[in-house]
Amino acid sequence: MNQQPQRGETATDLGELREQAEHTRDELGRTVEALAAKADVKAQAGEKVAAAREKAAVVTERAKVKAAVATDLVKEKAAQSAGLVKEKAAVASEKAKVKAAVASDLVQEKTPDPVLEKAGAVADKAKANRTPLLAAAAALVGFLLLRRSRRSRGGRR
């Protein structure tokens, strides 16, 4: 039963055994490295943190781009709105000028000539004597304020 192999077959069998042993060692080494990597919780945590940072950077960049687009859109709409408001204000101003001119014409039509002449004369005198007129108006305002303050102090006593 125990037959000794011939020398040629033994050398081949030994070579095959050595190759199998080397192959088994390589597989065992890879398996040990894989198990060591799985057992290295610190390295795994570091990889997860790095992945989370990359994901956060991508999300942040997307948010910045969206915010910039939204800002540009708001600025554009604001500029359009401002243009519309200016146009509407110009139209309203023109309408008010027309109505004021119509009202002025109507007042001049309905007001008797002697009253218009007197009003024109009073306006001319006021324009010619602005300084005394302004001084008189200031004196009247001062008098009214003084009178009001005296009344308010008298009522509190």
Side-chain angles (χ1 to χ4, degrees), residues 103-119:
S104 175
D105 291 344
L106 185 62
V107 166
Q108 285 183 355
E109 277 181 26
K110 300 288 181 175
T111 306
D113 288 336
V115 173
L116 286 175
E117 289 173 8
K118 287 267 187 182

Side-chain angles (χ1 to χ4, degrees), residues 34-86:
L35 287 173
K38 284 186 178 181
D40 191 2
V41 176
K42 190 174 184 179
Q44 288 179 359
E47 290 173 6
K48 287 183 180 180
V49 167
R53 283 184 180 156
E54 286 179 26
K55 186 176 180 179
V58 168
V59 169
T60 301
E61 189 60 32
R62 284 183 187 163
K64 285 180 181 179
V65 168
K66 283 184 179 180
V69 168
T71 300
D72 291 343
L73 184 62
V74 167
K75 285 180 181 178
E76 184 179 315
K77 288 198 177 200
Q80 289 174 352
S81 296
L84 290 175
V85 167
K86 286 180 182 179

Side-chain angles (χ1 to χ4, degrees), residues 124-140:
D124 290 340
K125 284 184 181 179
K127 286 179 185 175
N129 299 313
R130 276 190 187 161
T131 305
L133 185 61
L134 289 174
L140 178 63

Side-chain angles (χ1 to χ4, degrees), residues 14 59 141:
L14 282 177
V59 169
V141 168

